[in-house]
Every structure is written in structure tokens, then in C-alpha cells.
Amino acid sequence: MSDTDSFINEVTEEVRREKLFGYLRRYGWIGVAAVLLLVGGAAWNEYRNAQERATAQATGDAIMAALEEADPAARAAAMAQIEAEGAAVAVTLLLQASTQEEAGDNAGALATLNRVAVNPDVPEMYRELAAFKMAMLPVEDINTRRIQLDALAQPGEPFRLLALEQLAYLSLTEGDIDAGLGFLRQIEEDAGVTRGLRERVQSLMVALGEPMPDPVSQ
């Protein structure tokens, strides 16, 4: 009886092994493919990361080389030749606009900044900064500049306080002291104003004959 049981067990194990080998022969390629896919995916990711690092480094080197140009016009021309990709596009264009403005090419700076401001693929922070810098450019049409600053000075806008400051300067330049002081008070009373901006605003208010505001604890 014992020999019979042993024989049956051996036959059962052999059948199991045959089934296992059959499964391996039939479906083993799936495991091999999975391993190759994992290895290939890791290699591709590493290659892509290396390419991105190389591109970013090349863009950074080109920017540094352009900024080293002594002549503003040459610096602006060198910046315009840089072809950036991804997140570096907005930063490169903002730097290019700065060099164009420094070279006296306000029209070119305006066009470059507009490329950032209207690009939906650029992070909102850069679009808002480009819009603010556009409003800072000297223009003959003061009303156009005021409209741009009014839009940037709305509650919730990231550059609201700086836009209010520019509106104050604009009003004072036009001789409207009351309007200028109104903008300055909005800045001074805002809970989010920085210490430097508050001190600058308070100094201007005192220069315009306003009493020194009560100190605000930070």
C-alpha cells in the first residue's frame, strides 16, 4: 500500500511539473517581455533626463555668453538667437525683453513680453510678470498704460501693490495729488505689503505733506 501511494505521488508530481513547464513554454514570453519593458523604460527615462539636462545646460551657457556682451544692442541680439525649450522659454524671453529695453528697443521689448503674456503654455506667474513689465515700458499713450495698470491692480492679482504704486506715480506726474495719495494709502493699509514697499510709500506720503502714519507691527 505504501509503494502504491509513493508511485501515485511521483506520478502526480510529474504531472504538475509537466503542467508547469507547459505554462512556462506557453506564457513565459510575457515575463520576458515585462522584464525587457521595465529595463527599456528605465533606460529611456535616463536617456531623456540626460538630454533635458544637456539642453538646459546649453541654454544656460548661451544665456551667460549673451549677457557677457558689453554692448546693449549686441547683448539683445545675442539673446534673440537663443532657442530655449520647456520652462526655460519664459525666462529666456523675459531676459531678452530686458536686454531689448536696455538697448532702447522698447517696441521689440513689448513684442517679446507679449509673446510670454499671451502664451497659455507658460506658467501663469511668468505671464503676469510679463504683463506687469509691459505696463512699465514707456509709452506715449498714458491712458493705455493706466488701463494696463488698473487691470493689474485688481484684488487678487499677484502684482497688485506694485501696480498701485505705479498708478500713484502716474497720478502724481499728472498733478493729481489726491488720486496719488489714494493709491499710496491702499498700499500702506494692505496687510500683504512688504516692509520695503511700506517704507517707500510712507516716505513719499510724508514728502507730499501727509502726516506720518502710525507704525504697523510686522
Side-chain angles (χ1 to χ4, degrees):
M1 192 68 180
S2 176
D3 292 340
T4 303
D5 290 342
S6 176
F7 175 75
I8 293 174
N9 289 335
E10 290 178 3
V11 171
T12 302
E13 288 297 326
E14 187 65 26
V15 171
R16 288 176 179 172
R17 282 195 294 270
E18 286 296 325
K19 287 184 178 180
L20 176 60
F21 291 146
Y23 287 142
L24 289 176
R25 286 192 295 269
R26 182 177 300 180
Y27 302 110
W29 65 272
I30 297 178
V32 174
V35 171
L36 291 176
L37 183 62
L38 290 174
V39 174
W44 168 251
N45 285 334
E46 183 60 29
Y47 171 77
R48 184 178 60 182
N49 291 336
Q51 290 293 102
E52 290 177 351
R53 288 194 297 269
T55 300
Q57 183 174 354
T59 301
D61 291 342
I63 291 175
M64 293 301 298
L67 293 176
E68 289 176 356
E69 293 285 348
D71 181 63
R75 190 157 56 246
M79 286 294 302
Q81 298 300 316
I82 298 175
E83 296 182 359
E85 297 180 2
V89 171
V91 176
T92 303
L93 289 176
L94 288 171
L95 288 173
Q96 179 182 336
S98 296
T99 58
Q100 290 171 319
E101 183 181 1
E102 186 180 1
D105 184 9
N106 291 327
L110 183 64
T112 301
L113 290 171
N114 189 62
R115 289 173 59 187
V116 180
V118 301
N119 189 347
D121 296 328
V122 171
E124 184 176 0
M125 176 185 67
Y126 294 121
R127 297 201 306 269
E128 295 286 352
L129 178 58
F132 178 73
K133 291 178 70 67
M134 288 172 65
M136 293 289 292
L137 288 174
V139 293
E140 296 181 0
D141 188 355
I142 299 300
N143 289 330
T144 298
R145 186 178 184 188
R146 184 179 292 278
I147 291 173
Q148 292 174 327
L149 289 171
D150 281 335
L152 294 168
Q154 296 303 308
E157 293 295 325
F159 296 97
R160 176 175 182 270
L161 297 181
L162 293 178
L164 285 173
E165 183 183 21
Q166 294 303 314
L167 285 170
Y169 294 149
L170 188 59
S171 298
L172 295 174
T173 301
E174 296 174 335
D176 193 344
I177 305 299
D178 291 337
L181 286 172
F183 289 124
L184 294 175
R185 291 191 192 97
Q186 290 186 59
I187 300 172
E188 201 277 330
E189 295 170 359
D190 194 285
V193 65
T194 62
R195 180 176 179 180
L197 179 55
R198 174 178 280 119
E199 291 177 352
R200 189 162 68 241
V201 166
Q202 289 177 349
S203 297
L204 183 55
M205 292 173 69
V206 171
L208 293 171
E210 283 285 291
M212 176 67 75
D214 295 332
V216 179
S217 59
Q218 295 293 332

